[in-house]
Amino acid sequence: MRNKKSLSGGLFSLLANDQPGFSGDVTGKNNFNNLPMRMRSQEGAALVVVLALVVLLAALVVAFFSRALLERQISASSANQTKA
């Protein structure tokens, strides 16, 4: 079995115990505080991007249903005028 420190780059460089602020614990318990600053900022940026996309999608859904409701009201009004 190879030593973790002998592998270069990728996940193994993050798991090496010589990284400042990283304990090497990969059990999933409170690892966010132990990640290097670069990884935390990348995860924070990804969170902001995902939240922005969710807000944009929600706005599009609200706009779609608002327009559909308006079209329905116009259609009903037009049908009532035709009957009269």
Side-chain angles (χ1 to χ4, degrees), residues 6 13 16 37-38 44 61 78 81:
S6 67
S13 67
M37 183 61 85
R38 184 175 177 195
V61 167
S78 177
Q81 286 180 352

Side-chain angles (χ1 to χ4, degrees), residues 56-79:
L56 180 64
L57 183 64
L60 287 173
V61 167
V62 168
F64 173 78
F65 283 115
S66 296
R67 175 122 183 190
L69 182 62
L70 180 65
E71 295 273 340
R72 185 173 179 212
Q73 290 172 347
I74 291 172
S75 174
S77 175
S78 177

Side-chain angles (χ1 to χ4, degrees), residues 18-39:
D18 58 352
Q19 292 286 331
F22 188 72
S23 66
D25 179 27
V26 291
T27 60
K29 297 178 184 175
N30 299 325
N31 275 343
F32 188 76
N33 291 332
N34 294 333
L35 287 175
M37 183 61 85
R38 184 175 177 195
M39 287 289 291

